[in-house]
Amino acid sequence: MRGRVVSGAGLGHGGTASGARCATTVVGRPRTPHPRRARQQQPQPLRALGEARGEGAYGRTGKESSSSSSASKHPVLGRSIEDLQAEMSLLQEQIHEAHLQAHVQEQRIEEELRKLREVDERSKALEASLEMAERSGGEGASSTANFIPEAVDMESTKKTSALRSDLRWPKELKDYWYPLEFSKNLDERGGEAIEFDAFDVSVSLSRSPSSASGLELRQVGGEEDGRAFPALERDGMVWCWLSDKEPAETAADQLPGLTKPPPAFREESPFIIHAELVIDVPVEHGLLLENLLDLAHAPFTHTATFAKGWSIPDLVKFNTQKLLGGNWEPYPIDMSFEPPCMVLSTIGLAEPGKLEEGARAAACENHLHQLHVCVPAGQGTRLLYRMSLDFMGFMLYVPLAKKLWETMAAQVLGEDLVLVQGQEDRLKRGGDTWANPVPYDKLAVRYRKWRNSLSDEELRTKAEMQLRTMSAGEMLAPVEEEDE
């Protein structure tokens, strides 16, 4: 008996007046579905299992050639169960590791949020106290608004943490020789004096044939107007002594040779000075030094300048290299702080403008060396910047090259000033930028400990012994600095 087809137009909700497609019902003997259609109607997991067992696109009744064709295309066929189990076990381990990393990141985020809430509460309390002081006409608000960094007798102040921030420079900070000007700037002025601020005095620097050193540095204005200070010249820079004490070094060759370009990595490619800039920066010099020593902020702050394209240091890679006994080096950069006010850095480059990640600076083909000298100057900083390269020698003969370097330096400083001025404002309001130090602050921590130890000879000697050149991997390693 043949099956009879009954239209669903008049059954239940199947019928429509508009002639839409209707459902059909088969009455009589059931029909065997076509193998292809039956195979396609299976759920996806069953289809994959069937293919893994060797069934072709048409099931077990399909042609052998179809099974062979499927085996050549399907990623599971041709592999043993042991291989698949091993791969599944590896995937499970990776998923577990990802969950663990996500949990760790959640804990870190929660900790940072907690710190931010604490900072917000302190800030609100400080603002409330300042408003009360202003309403009561007290002197506290006035002294805060007109704050000017000045020398402080560290011995007479209450002992605090070795990391506590202070906008007032210790009086012992003057007891060093300071590079205050580039020799070429004096030569280019044809004997005309250069006037600028250094620490709490205004000075005038000029060439003087009558002086033993050929230089003359005198105070301009103030109670000691016309006072002469010792000045020496070394490595293309003019060094000056502004302390009331007598200097131990009286000859240029006794000065530290830190301002000249470093020795060449390759004999045929010596470092050549390409830029020497003098910039007045409107922030306290210690905060600027700490910013220069903080490499971790570069991938976030300098995305439009020198750190454009830098990857964010990967904690997983650090832990992996540590387990393997190797060195973790996210960037090819070596850096150091040199007393009293210098930051030296050498950057390895794969090619001009491109950082070679995962290597030490010495292993790179090209190098950029930077010298930053940060001298206290009134309410701000007199910054001397020298850049040397062991490649791109042709840039020495490019017109307006100096203007190019000046523009780049100004742009980088502009990115930093937003951060540093915020820190300075916080200090003026009674905060402390070292309330919550983090592991990647290693170089800045050593600088701050040195600065805060100047009044104690034993502590200063101990702090200076901790100063050394560090690679990017050493600086950014998530390992806490030991309390020396």
Side-chain angles (χ1 to χ4, degrees):
M1 174 180 176
R2 290 186 177 180
R4 182 165 53 88
V5 179
V6 180
S7 172
L11 301 176
H13 298 286
T16 61
S18 59
R21 183 181 179 183
C22 300
T24 59
T25 303
V26 178
V27 180
R29 186 180 62 187
R31 298 174 60 185
T32 302
H34 192 277
R36 180 193 297 272
R37 185 175 302 162
R39 182 64 175 160
Q40 291 175 345
Q41 290 174 351
Q42 291 181 0
Q44 185 67 21
L46 293 180
R47 290 174 60 188
L49 180 62
E51 293 175 5
R53 290 176 176 174
E55 299 179 9
Y58 299 98
R60 291 187 180 275
T61 60
K63 297 180 180 180
E64 198 67 34
S65 60
S66 299
S67 178
S68 300
S69 174
S70 176
S72 63
K73 295 180 180 179
H74 199 280
V76 175
L77 294 179
R79 300 170 63 181
S80 67
I81 294 178
E82 290 77 7
D83 290 341
L84 294 174
Q85 289 176 338
E87 184 173 343
M88 180 64 69
S89 176
L90 178 61
L91 288 173
Q92 289 175 341
E93 291 179 2
Q94 292 176 345
I95 292 172
H96 177 72
E97 178 65 21
H99 286 169
L100 180 61
Q101 291 294 331
H103 181 64
V104 171
Q105 292 298 330
E106 288 176 358
Q107 289 181 327
R108 288 178 178 168
I109 291 173
E110 179 59 32
E111 178 64 18
E112 293 301 322
L113 289 174
R114 183 188 64 78
K115 291 179 181 179
L116 286 174
R117 287 192 292 268
E118 291 180 357
V119 170
D120 183 57
E121 291 175 1
R122 293 177 185 174
S123 176
K124 289 179 179 178
L126 286 169
E127 289 178 358
S129 63
L130 287 172
E131 289 177 0
M132 290 179 63
E134 289 176 354
R135 286 196 297 268
S136 62
E139 296 180 358
S142 177
S143 62
T144 301
N146 300 313
F147 181 86
I148 298 177
E150 59 182 7
V152 58
D153 188 344
M154 300 297 288
E155 295 179 355
S156 63
T157 59
K158 182 179 179 180
K159 283 194 173 182
T160 57
S161 168
L163 283 180
R164 180 161 182 82
S165 305
D166 198 332
L167 289 173
R168 300 169 298 173
W169 44 267
K171 61 184 181 63
E172 293 84 3
L173 197 61
K174 270 191 174 183
D175 301 337
Y176 289 86
W177 283 92
Y178 283 85
L180 294 183
E181 186 56 88
F182 293 108
S183 300
K184 72 176 184 65
N185 289 345
L186 275 178
D187 298 333
E188 291 174 355
R189 295 177 71 94
E192 183 181 351
I194 301 176
E195 293 188 1
F196 53 87
D197 291 336
F199 284 91
D200 53 354
V201 298
S202 297
V203 295
S204 173
L205 176 65
S206 62
R207 296 283 186 191
S208 175
S210 61
S211 171
S213 64
L215 299 165
E216 182 177 83
L217 181 70
R218 292 190 177 276
Q219 181 171 334
V220 177
E223 296 180 357
E224 298 183 276
D225 182 36
R227 174 188 175 184
F229 296 96
L232 297 172
E233 196 167 10
R234 177 171 182 175
D235 300 328
M237 302 190 81
V238 177
W239 296 65
C240 305
W241 181 268
L242 300 173
S243 173
D244 293 331
K245 299 180 180 179
E246 290 295 323
E249 303 83 5
T250 57
D253 59 0
Q254 296 175 326
L255 299 176
L258 299 170
T259 55
K260 63 181 179 181
F265 287 95
R266 302 183 309 277
E267 186 177 352
E268 68 277 11
S269 302
F271 278 96
I272 299 175
I273 298 172
H274 280 249
E276 293 181 336
L277 309 175
V278 179
I279 307 170
D280 293 323
V281 186
V283 293
E284 193 267 336
H285 87 287
L287 294 178
L288 184 59
L289 278 169
E290 289 172 353
N291 179 268
L292 293 170
L293 294 168
D294 174 21
L295 187 61
H297 81 282
F300 304 96
T301 305
H302 300 292
T303 55
T305 52
F306 73 89
K308 184 177 182 180
W310 286 22
S311 62
I312 298 173
D314 191 340
L315 179 61
V316 175
K317 290 184 179 178
F318 166 78
N319 291 326
T320 302
Q321 289 296 111
K322 187 177 180 181
L323 289 173
L324 296 176
N327 293 323
W328 178 66
E329 297 297 340
Y331 314 126
I333 300 176
D334 295 333
M335 185 179 293
S336 69
F337 164 72
E338 303 294 342
C341 62
M342 287 174 277
V343 175
L344 307 179
S345 60
T346 301
I347 304 174
L349 301 172
E351 57 187 64
K354 184 177 181 181
L355 195 75
E356 184 172 345
E357 298 186 7
R360 290 293 297 264
C364 299
E365 182 71 16
N366 306 307
H367 303 86
L368 179 152
H369 179 74
Q370 298 181 109
L371 164 68
H372 291 85
V373 179
C374 301
V375 182
Q379 300 182 47
T381 302
R382 180 175 176 82
L383 172 63
L384 277 67
Y385 172 75
R386 172 181 277 174
M387 183 189 73
S388 304
L389 304 173
D390 64 358
F391 65 106
M392 288 180 63
F394 66 88
M395 285 296 293
L396 294 172
Y397 311 101
V398 173
L400 303 178
K402 180 180 178 181
K403 190 66 177 177
L404 171 65
W405 302 132
E406 288 178 347
T407 302
M408 291 178 60
Q411 190 173 356
V412 171
L413 278 174
E415 293 171 336
D416 278 326
L417 281 179
V418 176
L419 176 64
V420 181
Q421 287 177 332
Q423 293 175 325
E424 187 174 67
D425 180 69
R426 181 182 173 190
L427 284 173
K428 291 178 180 180
R429 290 175 174 268
D432 184 9
T433 58
W434 283 110
N436 297 292
V438 291
Y440 54 74
D441 284 328
K442 296 179 183 65
L443 271 180
V445 163
R446 296 181 184 211
Y447 157 72
R448 181 56 64 172
K449 285 183 176 180
W450 170 83
R451 171 170 164 166
N452 290 352
S453 69
L454 291 180
S455 63
D456 188 309
E457 186 67 29
E458 182 179 351
L459 290 177
R460 176 167 59 179
T461 301
K462 187 177 180 180
E464 288 179 351
M465 291 177 62
Q466 300 302 317
L467 300 176
R468 63 180 179 87
T469 300
M470 301 181 75
S471 69
E474 292 173 309
M475 285 184 279
L476 299 176
V479 179
E480 293 288 349
E481 189 84 321
E482 293 184 4
D483 189 10
E484 301 290 347

